[in-house]
Amino acid sequence: MIDAFLGSVFTVILAVISLYKWVIIISALLSWVRPDPYNPIVQMLYRLTEPAYAFVRRFIPTVVGGMDLAPLIVIFALIFLETFLGRLFMGM
């Protein structure tokens, strides 16, 4: 019973990580086309992604040649976290 519960919790955690990874990708793609900043979807994406970008920018200089690499760093961190947790949960 507890194994089923933990398996379900871990599946939800991995799904949230995967979903957030796609939010970062969509936000990065939208930043290339200069969307309307007053659009509610654009504002929601900004509010969801900017805290992660700010955290990365605090420790690593992310602007290289006028291009911000914070989304790429966050995506790599999420891929690492997703893989690590997935393998950790498989071993349980």
Side-chain angles (χ1 to χ4, degrees), residues 22-37 39 41-43 45-46 49-50 53 57 62 66-72 75:
W22 281 106
V23 167
I24 297 284
I25 291 169
I26 291 168
S27 175
L29 290 175
L30 276 178
S31 71
W32 290 351
V33 295
R34 297 274 191 197
D36 177 23
N39 186 325
I41 295 173
V42 173
Q43 289 179 357
L45 287 173
Y46 180 78
T49 58
E50 197 54 39
Y53 295 164
R57 288 181 189 128
T62 60
M67 188 150 88
D68 187 18
L69 298 178
L72 189 64
I75 288 172

Side-chain angles (χ1 to χ4, degrees), residues 33-83:
V33 295
R34 297 274 191 197
D36 177 23
Y38 299 108
N39 186 325
I41 295 173
V42 173
Q43 289 179 357
M44 179 192 65
L45 287 173
Y46 180 78
R47 278 189 242 121
L48 286 173
T49 58
E50 197 54 39
Y53 295 164
F55 180 76
V56 169
R57 288 181 189 128
R58 189 169 37 173
F59 298 108
I60 302 170
T62 60
V63 178
V64 176
M67 188 150 88
D68 187 18
L69 298 178
L72 189 64
I73 294 169
V74 171
I75 288 172
F76 282 144
L78 289 173
I79 290 172
F80 172 79
L81 188 63
E82 188 176 29
T83 304

